[in-house]
Amino acid sequence: MTDRSDHRGSGPSGQKTGIPRDHPRYRSLVVRERLARLAREGIVSLEGLTAHGRGEAFDYLIGEKTMASAMLAEKTAAALLLTACRPVISVNGNTAALAPEEIASLQRASGAIVEINLFHRTEERVEKIRRHLESAGVDVLGGTPERILPLDHDRGLSYPEGTGKADVILVPLEDGDRCEALVRMGKKVVAVDLNPLSRTSRMATLTVVDELTRALPNITSFCMTLHRDEAGEIVRSIDNSYFIGEAMLEINRRLSACSG
Amino acid sequence: MTDRSDHRGSGPSGQKTGIPRDHPRYRSLVVRERLARLAREGIVSLEGLTAHGRGEAFDYLIGEKTMASAMLAEKTAAALLLTACRPVISVNGNTAALAPEEIASLQRASGAIVEINLFHRTEERVEKIRRHLESAGVDVLGGTPERILPLDHDRGLSYPEGTGKADVILVPLEDGDRCEALVRMGKKVVAVDLNPLSRTSRMATLTVVDELTRALPNITSFCMTLHRDEAGEIVRSIDNSYFIGEAMLEINRRLSACSG
């Protein structure tokens, strides 16, 4: 569904890729190669690669840019993190692969605890992801995970000092059942999800319909500039259906323009 | 972006999967696991997994069923294959992984030559895909590939007796630049592409906006039932913009219904 040629560009870490710099989908293809490399290293799961492709398609449909409504959602996400008693960022393999530096910056700006949560969980993979995040400057929560969420699979395993005590939890690229379980436990859940129709998007307290590496720096900026009073006001009036509805309208507008 | 639990279903080849049979996205998740397994075996490329995810998202948006306009496109595809002097089906890693039996059936019904064409090409991978297709009953074209298409990368390598002499070529899940190169060489190109906005979709002579394992059996059925006279009439009036436009309208309709 994409096209590539043989001139060389450099990937995120400077290594040569097979993608020409002037390719219309250069950035998306570089990210795809980066994820493939991190899959070979065991950080990204093979299923995670496919999930990333799903996200790519929705990003394409919203125009691969931050919508005005998403920017407002990002401001609201910052307000939730700033007013939380115990904010937590839950990181999976794709998030660690795509945005380790962005997670580190958001952690510094928000004071959030960062914990690792994996569907395809092995201790070896947790350690690889921990090292990957730490080398980008993330302070990763340690300890022994427990089955804090009522989910059969390994995504139910979380840290008592992280998800266990969190009142606000940012879950980028989350699964619908885990998002639902967190909401049922009374947590305020902030999702970053490019599919406005997903169960995660519909279940979350707040859904940021934006690509992760655009969304996180925006949330970080708002964390650094938002006043506590304004933050408190924002969190009292969250209407997630507005953000979902605006994303669907934007996709509709773009498709209508293309087909018209 | 998806959710899973721990009950067991059986995958396409009867092996146990981690996916419950009653999961709303069961089929999509079984296919995803199948592709991950074939990636481990070297048949599917890691980049192919991400490309598959992109397609999945568009399938979701058209409702994971064959649209009426797509069914008409499939009839038109059959007409093109039946009236061709030398029809060819060009198979890449994802196509081989997803639909080997369906390719075999279409080859029998259409008399088309099947050749392998890979972006991430190694002789070892070509041989693995050849064996995979042959074990499903496909007669795969042999010979030595040449740079028949003016593309720098390995997708430019094709077989003189296949793509070289083809007048009609079916390219499931094709790249935009190869599709364009084939059209420029005067070939009639039939694409199967779930993204109606892609360059492949817009460049092809005919675009079937449908999921591969639904599209191929439909094309096969039409090959078995279509009369030569009717086929000739159909190919004289192909309007690809109709098929593209209908797919975009369908996505629009579905999004409007969800957001309304």
Side-chain angles (χ1 to χ4, degrees):
Chain A
M1 299 179 97
T2 58
D3 35 85
R4 293 147 291 194
S5 76
D6 212 17
H7 315 284
R8 303 288 168 199
S10 284
S13 313
Q15 72 274 37
K16 292 293 180 188
T17 74
I19 303 152
R21 277 204 170 276
D22 58 351
H23 191 287
R25 305 200 44 70
Y26 177 75
R27 190 166 178 284
S28 142
L29 296 173
V30 168
V31 171
R32 196 180 285 190
E33 283 204 348
R34 178 186 193 166
L35 285 177
R37 178 170 53 79
L38 291 173
R40 283 183 205 100
E41 291 177 19
I43 285 175
V44 171
S45 72
L46 295 182
E47 290 79 2
L49 293 178
T50 310
H52 176 72
R54 263 177 98 87
E56 268 189 0
F58 284 100
D59 197 22
Y60 185 88
L61 288 171
I62 63 169
E64 294 177 332
K65 61 180 184 346
T66 299
M67 298 174 288
S69 59
M71 189 65 90
L72 188 56
E74 285 151 6
K75 187 174 185 179
T76 308
L80 276 168
L81 291 171
L82 289 178
T83 57
C85 296
R86 202 172 172 91
V88 167
I89 305 171
S90 177
V91 172
N92 63 14
N94 277 22
T95 300
L98 289 167
E101 289 84 6
E102 290 85 346
I103 293 286
S105 299
L106 179 56
Q107 181 176 44
R108 281 192 295 274
S110 67
I113 291 165
V114 172
E115 71 163 51
I116 296 168
N117 180 268
L118 304 177
F119 183 81
H120 297 278
R121 186 186 185 98
T122 63
E123 280 318 303
E124 187 194 352
R125 190 163 168 240
V126 170
E127 279 315 304
K128 276 184 185 168
I129 290 173
R130 179 187 302 279
R131 283 197 299 273
H132 182 74
L133 288 168
E134 285 176 349
S135 72
V138 180
D139 183 9
V140 180
L141 180 69
T144 307
E146 297 176 10
R147 193 162 299 279
I148 288 172
L149 280 79
L151 300 171
D152 285 342
H153 56 71
D154 280 353
R155 295 216 80 168
L157 293 176
S158 284
Y159 298 85
E161 299 298 311
T163 295
K165 292 187 177 165
D167 56 339
V168 169
I169 182 162
L170 173 65
V171 288
L173 320 179
E174 187 53 270
D175 290 348
D177 55 350
R178 185 157 182 266
C179 179
E180 185 172 355
L182 289 166
V183 169
R184 281 180 194 276
M185 290 171 76
K187 317 280 185 195
K188 288 181 181 155
V189 179
V190 181
V192 180
D193 194 325
L194 280 157
N195 177 0
L197 296 165
S198 76
R199 189 146 70 101
T200 298
S201 288
R202 289 180 283 115
M203 291 304 303
T205 311
L206 172 69
T207 304
V208 176
V209 184
D210 201 3
E211 192 275 327
L212 188 66
T213 64
R214 293 194 305 266
L216 294 180
N218 288 340
I219 299 173
T220 301
S221 294
F222 284 119
C223 281
M224 294 191 292
T225 55
L226 204 57
H227 279 271
R228 189 160 280 271
D229 289 355
E230 194 189 351
E233 214 168 288
I234 289 171
V235 300
R236 278 191 292 278
S237 62
I238 295 174
D239 175 10
N240 201 39
S241 63
Y242 166 77
F243 298 114
I244 303 287
E246 282 297 306
M248 294 208 275
L249 282 174
E250 175 63 22
I251 295 175
N252 260 340
R253 271 192 292 264
R254 286 180 53 79
L255 286 169
S256 301
C258 292
S259 59
Chain B
M1 298 178 97
T2 59
D3 35 85
R4 294 147 290 194
S5 77
D6 212 17
H7 316 285
R8 303 287 168 200
S10 285
S13 315
Q15 71 275 36
K16 292 294 180 189
T17 74
I19 305 153
R21 276 205 170 276
D22 59 351
H23 192 286
R25 306 199 43 70
Y26 176 76
R27 190 166 177 283
S28 141
L29 295 174
V30 168
V31 171
R32 196 181 287 189
E33 284 205 346
R34 178 186 195 168
L35 285 178
R37 178 171 52 80
L38 291 174
R40 283 183 205 99
E41 292 178 17
I43 285 175
V44 171
S45 71
L46 295 182
E47 290 79 1
L49 292 178
T50 309
H52 177 72
R54 256 177 103 89
E56 267 188 3
F58 284 101
D59 197 22
Y60 182 89
L61 289 171
I62 63 167
E64 294 177 333
K65 62 179 185 344
T66 300
M67 298 174 287
S69 59
M71 190 64 90
L72 188 56
E74 286 152 6
K75 188 174 185 178
T76 308
L80 275 168
L81 291 171
L82 289 177
T83 57
C85 297
R86 201 172 175 92
V88 167
I89 305 171
S90 177
V91 173
N92 63 13
N94 276 23
T95 300
L98 289 166
E101 291 85 6
E102 290 86 345
I103 293 286
S105 300
L106 179 56
Q107 181 176 44
R108 282 191 295 273
S110 67
I113 291 164
V114 172
E115 70 163 51
I116 296 169
N117 181 268
L118 304 177
F119 183 81
H120 298 278
R121 184 185 187 100
T122 63
E123 278 318 303
E124 188 194 352
R125 192 164 167 238
V126 170
E127 278 316 304
K128 277 184 185 167
I129 290 174
R130 180 188 301 280
R131 284 197 299 274
H132 183 74
L133 288 168
E134 285 176 348
S135 71
V138 180
D139 183 10
V140 180
L141 181 68
T144 307
E146 298 176 10
R147 194 162 298 279
I148 287 172
L149 280 81
L151 299 171
D152 284 341
H153 56 69
D154 280 354
R155 297 216 78 170
L157 294 176
S158 284
Y159 299 85
E161 298 299 310
T163 294
K165 290 187 178 166
D167 56 339
V168 170
I169 182 161
L170 173 65
V171 288
L173 320 179
E174 188 53 90
D175 290 347
D177 55 350
R178 186 157 182 267
C179 179
E180 185 172 356
L182 289 166
V183 169
R184 281 179 195 275
M185 288 171 77
K187 317 281 184 193
K188 287 179 180 156
V189 178
V190 181
V192 180
D193 194 325
L194 280 157
N195 176 0
L197 296 166
S198 75
R199 189 147 70 105
T200 298
S201 287
R202 288 180 283 116
M203 290 303 304
T205 312
L206 172 70
T207 305
V208 175
V209 183
D210 201 2
E211 193 274 329
L212 189 67
T213 65
R214 294 195 305 267
L216 294 179
N218 289 340
I219 299 173
T220 302
S221 295
F222 284 119
C223 280
M224 294 191 292
T225 55
L226 204 57
H227 280 272
R228 190 159 279 271
D229 288 354
E230 196 189 347
E233 214 168 287
I234 289 170
V235 300
R236 278 190 292 278
S237 62
I238 296 174
D239 174 12
N240 200 39
S241 63
Y242 166 78
F243 298 114
I244 302 287
E246 282 297 305
M248 294 206 275
L249 283 174
E250 175 63 23
I251 294 175
N252 256 341
R253 272 193 292 265
R254 288 181 53 80
L255 286 169
S256 301
C258 292
S259 58

